[in-house]
């Protein structure tokens, strides 16, 4: 009950503050076009990549690279927020 | 109303209440051979429940027609369990019945029959006790007496009461219909229903038996008392164990969220992000599906595929080039002249890729943690 109440309170604060943000979504047609284009791109590009280098290696490394890049971006964002807190006394 | 209910009902579940499962209900269709058989038409279905109908409490069969079954003659049959009847005795039957949601032009017949069965459960004979055309949708009361067939009872045939609602459906009657039988059904053996004087005589006759049982009753009382005292200790111990369990459960309930709480919140959060962050929420999903597709792809042969170049012009699909695939398998595939060289090349590129990846990881590590534990600006 306590955990639930705490979690609900955090959720309420989160949704109240972020509720003012209203970014529109992509139109459904455009989403379909993008996914369709990406499908075609990957289907056509995969054999080409395999011609130059081993695709089995590429398909393992590329997702790891993407994850690392995203993690670094999240790290940058978090650090940017933390450096704005004077009491934290963290500077880069 | 003198309410005995059906003796057979009382026997079925040990109570004197009639419950829905005490009544054997079937819905039958009149076939081309003028015989009733259990209905197989999916257009007709229903539920059997216990509810209040026009302020009368009782049992309903609520039927619904899903599509047109015009002309089909249907009967809803409610069959009691076996009755214990005595030949030459007269029985009185009192109950309420009714229907609803039936148009004035529709004829619905209500019949009460006493049905006799042999030891194999086959219907041997039946005696119609009551038959009437239902003229309105109100609940009607019925009170009549009957005598069972002496020869059938003497032959040891089982007998049951059968209530039937018979009607012919029309296309305009799609929807629900209630077939109702009251919960309180009077069923009295009039020849066994003696007057007040006979009741007094019977009570006096029972006195010697009651006195004979007095010793047993006193003995049972002391036995129960001893058992009660013995159980008292267990009950006190059980109370404290139960109390402890309740306290533990209560404390657990304070800190442990209810089952499914986090799943529910996850869904709520996803919906919120989808509503408020639009494209920012969609973009990661597209990237994830792209990665998934990238992982699941597995090209079989080294080739280059040029996709078709086509576009729509004034609602007409114009194709400039068809999809075209150039396969290099003949030059670098198994048994080809360049196979060894190509395999060597692929191994070399793979090693370079792995080195590059390790170098990339090191760079990112140094970016975050620094070479000496301090972050490095780039």
């Amino acid at each position: 009950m306590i955990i639930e109440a705490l979690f609900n309170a955090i959720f309420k604060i989160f949704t109240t503050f972020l509720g003012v943000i209203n970014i529109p979504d992509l139109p459904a047609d455009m989403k379909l076009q993008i996914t369709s284009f990406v499908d075609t791109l990957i289907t056509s590009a995969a054999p080409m990549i395999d011609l130059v280098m081993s695709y089995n290696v590429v398909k393992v490394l590329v997702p790891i690279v993407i994850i690392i890049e995203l993690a670094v971006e999240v790290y940058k964002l978090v650090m940017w927020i933390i450096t704005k807190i004077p009491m934290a006394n963290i500077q880069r | 109303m003198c309410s005995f209910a059906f003796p057979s009902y009382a026997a079925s579940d040990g109570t004197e209440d009639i419950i829905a499962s005490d009544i054997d209900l079937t819905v039958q269709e009149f076939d081309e051979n003028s015989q009733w058989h259990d209905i197989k038409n999916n257009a007709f279905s229903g539920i059997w429940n216990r509810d209040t109908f026009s302020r009368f409490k009782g049992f309903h069969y609520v039927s619904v027609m899903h599509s047109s079954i015009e002309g089909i003659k249907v009967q809803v049959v409610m069959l009691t369990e076996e009755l214990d009847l005595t030949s030459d005795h007269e029985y009185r039957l009192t109950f309420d019945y009714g229907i609803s949601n039936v148009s004035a032009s529709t004829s619905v017949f209500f019949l009460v029959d006493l049905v006799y069965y042999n030891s194999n459960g086959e219907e041997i004979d039946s005696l119609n006790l009551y038959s009437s055309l239902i003229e309105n949708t109100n609940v009607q009361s019925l009170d009549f007496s009957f005598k069972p067939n002496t020869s059938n009872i003497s032959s040891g045939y089982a007998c049951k009461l059968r209530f039937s609602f018979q009607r012919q459906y029309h296309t305009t009657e799609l929807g629900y219909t209630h077939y109702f039988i009251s919960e309180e059904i009077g069923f009295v053996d009039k020849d066994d229903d003696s007057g007040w004087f006979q009741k007094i005589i019977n009570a006096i006759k029972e006195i010697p038996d009651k006195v004979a049982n007095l010793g047993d009753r006193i003995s049972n009382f002391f036995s129960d008392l001893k058992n009660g005292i013995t159980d008292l200790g267990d009950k006190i111990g059980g109370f404290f164990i139960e109390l402890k369990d309740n306290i533990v459960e209560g404390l657990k309930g304070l800190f442990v969220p209810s089952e499914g709480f986090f799943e529910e919140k996850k869904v709520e959060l996803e919906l919120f992000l989808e509503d408020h962050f639009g494209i920012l929420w969609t973009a990661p999903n597209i990237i994830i599906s792209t990665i998934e597709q990238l992982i699941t792809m597995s090209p079989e042969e080294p080739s280059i595929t040029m996709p078709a170049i086509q576009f729509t012009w004034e609602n007409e699909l114009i194709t400039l080039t068809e999809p075209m695939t150039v396969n290099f398998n003949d030059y670098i595939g198994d048994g080809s002249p360049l196979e060894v060289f190509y395999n060597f090349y692929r191994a070399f590129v793979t090693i370079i890729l792995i080195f590059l990846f390790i170098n990339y990881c090191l760079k990112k590590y140094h970016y975050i943690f620094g070479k000496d534990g301090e972050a490095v600006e780039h």
Side-chain angles (χ1 to χ4, degrees):
Chain A
M1 197 181 282
I2 291 170
I3 300 289
E4 280 183 24
L6 198 66
F7 203 84
N8 281 333
I10 292 167
F11 187 76
K12 191 75 185 166
I13 292 165
F14 180 78
T15 50
T16 308
F17 277 102
L18 296 181
V20 290
I21 300 169
N22 275 308
I23 299 168
D25 200 358
L26 278 176
D29 285 352
M30 197 180 281
K31 264 195 238 178
L32 193 69
Q33 289 297 325
I34 290 171
T35 48
S36 167
F37 172 73
V38 170
D39 281 358
T40 313
L41 193 71
I42 291 173
T43 314
S44 304
M48 285 192 215
I49 294 168
D50 194 48
L51 192 65
V52 181
M53 58 189 80
S54 172
Y55 187 79
N56 288 333
V57 177
V58 171
K59 76 180 182 184
V60 172
L61 298 184
V62 168
I64 297 172
V65 170
I66 291 170
I67 289 164
I68 291 172
E69 283 299 325
L70 285 174
V72 168
E73 292 307 313
V74 170
Y75 171 76
K76 279 183 188 172
L77 180 70
V78 171
M79 288 309 290
W80 182 78
I81 293 167
I82 290 175
T83 51
K84 300 294 171 200
I85 304 169
M87 285 170 291
N89 199 23
I90 293 173
Q91 287 176 348
R92 293 217 63 182
Chain B
M1 180 180 284
C2 179
S3 173
F4 273 94
F6 285 104
S8 55
Y9 288 146
S12 69
D13 69 341
T15 68
E16 290 197 355
D17 284 334
I18 306 169
I19 56 170
S21 60
D22 285 330
I23 299 174
D24 179 10
L25 181 129
T26 52
V27 183
Q28 298 179 326
E29 196 177 349
F30 202 61
D31 62 19
E32 59 274 9
N33 301 322
S34 303
Q35 295 290 322
W36 289 105
H37 64 258
D38 288 352
I39 202 160
K40 288 173 186 167
N41 196 325
N42 290 333
F44 190 94
S45 66
I47 51 165
W48 177 235
N49 60 26
R50 184 184 195 182
D51 208 344
T52 303
F53 174 70
S54 298
R55 292 177 286 107
F56 288 84
K57 202 172 179 189
F59 301 101
H60 305 252
Y61 179 73
V62 186
S63 74
V64 58
M65 266 177 43
H66 304 293
S67 59
S68 167
I69 52 169
E70 186 174 11
I72 289 181
K73 195 175 173 186
V74 166
Q75 71 169 357
V76 175
V77 184
M78 302 173 190
L79 200 65
T80 70
E81 292 195 340
E82 197 177 314
L83 303 176
D84 184 17
L85 301 182
T86 311
S87 58
D88 295 332
H89 278 213
E90 190 175 15
Y91 295 89
R92 185 183 175 198
L93 191 62
T94 47
F95 62 95
D96 301 318
Y97 70 98
I99 53 169
S100 75
N101 293 346
V102 176
S103 64
S105 60
T106 305
S107 303
V108 178
F109 283 93
F110 178 69
L111 300 102
V112 182
D113 296 294
L114 187 64
V115 191
Y116 299 94
Y117 296 91
N118 64 12
S119 54
N120 298 325
E122 293 161 345
E123 185 178 328
I124 297 297
D125 193 11
S126 68
L127 173 67
N128 181 254
L129 307 178
Y130 179 80
S131 135
S132 170
L133 177 67
I134 303 176
E135 291 176 343
N136 56 50
T137 61
N138 292 327
V139 172
Q140 297 168 53
S141 297
L142 203 56
D143 184 347
F144 63 87
S145 298
F146 69 92
K147 272 191 170 184
N149 186 305
T150 311
S151 62
N152 284 337
I153 297 292
S154 307
S155 305
Y157 292 139
C159 49
K160 297 177 179 183
L161 277 170
R162 182 172 65 196
F163 304 92
S164 319
F165 293 91
Q166 292 181 358
R167 70 183 289 191
Q168 193 146 9
Y169 273 92
H170 301 285
T171 22
T172 51
E173 292 174 333
L174 298 177
Y176 291 90
T177 306
H178 286 258
Y179 301 92
F180 169 78
I181 292 284
S182 63
E183 181 176 341
E184 196 174 68
I185 302 172
F187 185 70
V188 183
D189 184 346
K190 288 171 82 174
D191 294 316
D192 196 35
D193 190 19
S194 46
W196 62 271
F197 184 71
Q198 187 61 40
K199 283 178 182 170
I200 292 170
I201 298 288
N202 290 340
I204 291 168
K205 279 180 185 172
E206 286 172 6
I207 288 174
D209 292 337
K210 287 183 177 172
V211 171
N213 292 332
L214 195 63
D216 292 341
R217 287 186 183 183
I218 292 167
S219 163
N220 289 338
F221 168 75
F222 282 107
S223 172
D224 291 345
L225 189 67
K226 191 192 93 185
N227 292 336
I229 292 166
T230 312
D231 292 345
L232 196 61
D234 295 340
K235 281 181 182 171
I236 292 168
F239 168 76
F240 282 106
I241 290 167
E242 201 176 323
L243 185 69
K244 185 202 84 184
D245 289 346
N246 286 341
I247 290 169
V248 170
E249 286 301 315
L251 285 172
K252 213 189 278 179
L254 278 177
F255 294 100
V256 180
S258 56
E259 199 179 333
F261 174 75
F262 287 111
E263 283 81 3
E264 191 187 316
K265 286 291 154 196
K266 180 176 166 274
V267 173
E268 270 182 52
L269 188 66
E270 279 176 356
L271 284 173
F272 174 81
L273 292 172
E274 200 176 327
D275 285 347
H276 291 269
F277 285 79
I279 192 169
L280 288 181
W281 179 248
T282 311
N285 286 338
I286 294 174
I287 292 169
I288 288 165
S289 67
T290 307
I291 293 170
E292 280 174 355
Q293 206 180 350
L294 202 72
I295 292 166
T296 50
M297 272 294 291
S298 185
E300 291 173 0
E301 292 179 338
S303 61
I304 294 175
T305 302
M306 299 300 294
I309 301 173
Q310 52 190 14
F311 57 91
T312 308
W313 178 263
E314 291 183 345
N315 295 328
E316 195 180 336
L317 186 71
I318 295 171
T319 306
L320 293 181
T321 59
E322 295 291 339
M324 191 171 60
T325 304
V326 181
N327 199 324
F328 294 94
N329 205 33
D330 293 339
Y331 308 105
I332 53 178
D334 292 342
S336 59
L338 296 174
E339 185 196 355
V340 178
F341 173 74
Y342 183 67
N343 286 343
F344 177 77
Y345 162 77
R346 279 172 75 90
F348 179 70
V349 170
T350 304
I351 291 164
I352 289 175
L353 274 177
I354 290 167
F355 272 111
L356 286 172
F357 178 71
I358 292 167
N359 187 41
Y360 166 82
C361 290
L362 280 172
K363 266 190 168 180
K364 291 296 167 188
Y365 178 83
H366 291 150
Y367 176 75
I368 304 289
F369 301 105
K371 279 187 177 173
D372 302 318
E374 291 296 324
V376 174
E377 282 293 346
H378 291 271

